[in-house]
Each structure stands twice: as C-alpha cells, then as structure tokens.
Amino acid sequence: MGQPIDPRTIDDALSALMPPEGALLVVTGDIDIALGGRLAAGRAAIRRTPSSFSAEEALAAQPDLGVCVLREPIAGFDQAGETLQTLAAAGLPTIVTFTTPSPVEQDDPGIASGAAALGFRATAAAIPAEGLTSFLLLPSGEITNAAWWRSQDGQRFVKRRRKRGERMLADDTMRDGAVVWRSSPKWEDRSVVVASLIPDDLAVLDLGCGKMFIERHLRMRAYAPLDRMAHDERTLVVDMNHDDLPTDALAAADLVIALGVFEYVVDPERQFRTVSAAGKPFLLSYNVGELRRRDAGDAQLTDWRNDWTTVELIQRLIASGFALERLIDYGPRQRILVAIPRAGDRRDWWSRLGAPKT
Ligand SMILES: C[S@@+](CC[C@H](N)C(=O)[O-])C[C@H]1O[C@@H](n2cnc3c(N)ncnc32)[C@H](O)[C@@H]1O
C-alpha cells in the first residue's frame, strides 16, 4: 500500500500546478483527504471516486480541470486509468497526484508513456515530498474528438465500453464519427479461451487479476485473486515489482495464472522462480515482441517494462525451472504459455488440459 499522506502536502502539490480559477472535477481513490485551503477556495467542485465516476454526469457539470489523487502511479488498466482516459478523451486538462514507494523522476519514461497511453502528455511536474508526485497532464488531442465524446453518442459509447470492462488504448482512433478500437480481441475473451484449457475444480492463484474475468468462465474449487491494487475485499494486494508472492496462497494453489501481467513487471524471472520452486504449474499470456513489432511498430506507447520475443520468454521460463507444455497463439500479438516445473510432480489433471476454443 502507499505511504500515509499528509493532506497538506497534497494541497501543496496540487496548488503548485493549479490555474488560479476554474471548476474542478476531483477524483480520489480510497484516500480520504479533505481538500482545503488554496485548492478548493472559491471553486465549484464535484468529487467522485474512480468507482463512482460517471463520465456522463462528470462532463455534464462542465468542469475546467480534472484533479485525480491516486495511491498508485498511472496503471493503464485499473479504474483510475479508465477515468483518466475518459478525461483525456473529453479534452479535460487534469492534474494527477500519486504516491510512490520511491521518488519518481520528472522525466521517468514510465510516466511519460503511461500518460501518453491514456491520451495525455505530461507538461509540468511537482515533486513536493519524497514519495509524492504531481503532474499536470494536457490531453494530447491526437486520438480523440472532444466534441464527439461530449455528445450523447460518445457518452453512451464510453458507458457501454466501460461496462464491458474494456479500455481505450492510445492508438484507438476515431474515423467518420465511429471509433475504431485497437483493443481486440477483447480482454474478457482471453479468459474464455484460457478457461477452456483448464479443467474444473482446481484452486487457482490469479496474478494481476484485474477484473477477475477468469472467475466468470471457470468453475474453480478456490480462487485467490492477487493484484497490486485491491479490486475487491478478497484481493491479495501484492506489488510484484517490490513484494514477494505470498507463500500461503502459493502453497494452496493447484495452478498459477497470469494474463497480460508480466509485461508490467520489471523482473518477471523473480516471480517465475518462486512459482517453479513451489512446484506449481503456470499459465501465462504475454504480448510477444516479434508480433507486436510487426503489428504496431516499435513506437507503441505503453507502460510495459519488458519486451521479450517468444523465444526469450521461453528461455526465461526454462532458466527459472519450468518445462514448456503448451504454446498457443492468441490474437494478433499474444501467446498463451503453459509451463510445468521440471522438479514438481506432474499432476494427473494436467493430462486433462483442454484444446483451446478459437
Ligand atoms: C492488462 S491487466 C490484466 C488483468 C487480468 N489478468 C485480465 O486478463 O483481464 C494487468 C493487471 O496487472 C496488474 N499489475 C500490473 N503491475 C503489477 C504488479 N507490479 N504487481 C501486481 N499486479 C500488477 C494491474 O493492476 C492489472 O490489474
């Protein structure tokens, strides 16, 4: 979890970047700050959490500036990321403040690419205290048509997409009044394919569980969702860039899965070794470098932390103690891999692995 935050420090961070007037749309996560002093003085403000955020309502109030106070850096897929994307799509300049375990450099490429993936460019930063960073983000204006997003059609579109758990990506484009989505095949579909591979009634540990789509499509004996942020009260909150995997949850699992997660992890091999040392079969999906580059070019905007080809990924799994059991193409850029620890028992259920639905 983030560090304790002194509301006065947040006020300082935001005030440093805040224009002198304008109505605010304030979106805070689970941080209960009383925005005070210079920040709120003389301004109309509506306030929401990412989960209660409704684009329709928020934009109808015609705010001049969005303010997001988050516990985590821009994540890209979580609700706060979606909220920020909507603000960018609506053409709303936004100040975002988040706590980080260590100081973030103003020119950290992760911040710049994270902001860009959401449709913003970072223009100014304030780092008023260790572990607290503020950015003023301006909509990049390159991917959206603000007027359309404000229209009823645009807002209905956002609502529908959000309901389906989809997110917009940086190179989603608008043509002839219709949005052409790059995010295909849809995220939930990946879980449908993965569920079709796995026998019922296993205990599954889901690393980077996100919206837990797998739970909708697979009958499990036990389900342990893990993510760097809590998505519900069951979530084991573990940041795989800093923390070890919890040994209890690992011991209780028959199978560890990780769909679309290790792209975001700085040192995936550390977790690979832990899973293999625990003797657990491992199913993961990954956007492999050779297909991504063919498809999207080198300049894809992401907050990914690694960019391995299929061969490099397999080499790392093998070096971490796994043997490769299955390799399945999924969508234009991804592969699904099933790996079994070489030192572990080969479980009898493994022979019941299904054929993927296509
Ligand atoms: C692209 S989403 C995939 C979600 C889900 N597995 C699915 O297939 O729908 C990536 C998920 O990984 C999580 N994540 C990213 N970095 C992480 C880290 N360092 N530790 C734990 N979870 C992380 C994000 O919060 C997000 O929920």
Side-chain angles (χ1 to χ4, degrees), residues 73-74 98 104-117 120 122 135 300-305:
I74 298 166
F98 51 75
V104 173
E105 298 298 334
Q106 183 164 338
D107 57 355
D108 180 336
I111 303 297
S113 61
F120 285 110
F135 285 88
Q300 186 177 352
L301 301 168
T302 79
D303 50 359
W304 290 343
R305 294 289 188 264

Side-chain angles (χ1 to χ4, degrees), residues 33 41 64 72 85 135 139-140 144 159 201 241 268 288 292 324 336:
I33 53 162
D64 298 301
E72 293 276 351
Q85 284 176 328
F135 285 88
S140 60
T144 58
K159 242 182 164 173
D201 298 326
N241 281 335
V288 290
R292 188 185 61 69
L324 185 70
I336 296 169

Side-chain angles (χ1 to χ4, degrees), residues 75 77-78 167 187 190-191 206-213 226-229 231 238-241 258-261 264-265:
F77 190 77
D78 59 278
R167 68 172 183 148
W187 302 114
R190 183 171 60 197
S191 288
D206 185 4
L207 307 182
C209 60
K211 294 183 191 305
M212 309 179 193
F213 291 135
L226 177 151
D227 205 287
R228 70 175 176 190
M229 57 194 69
H231 292 278
V238 174
D239 181 343
M240 291 192 284
N241 281 335
L259 306 179
V261 179
Y264 301 88
V265 175

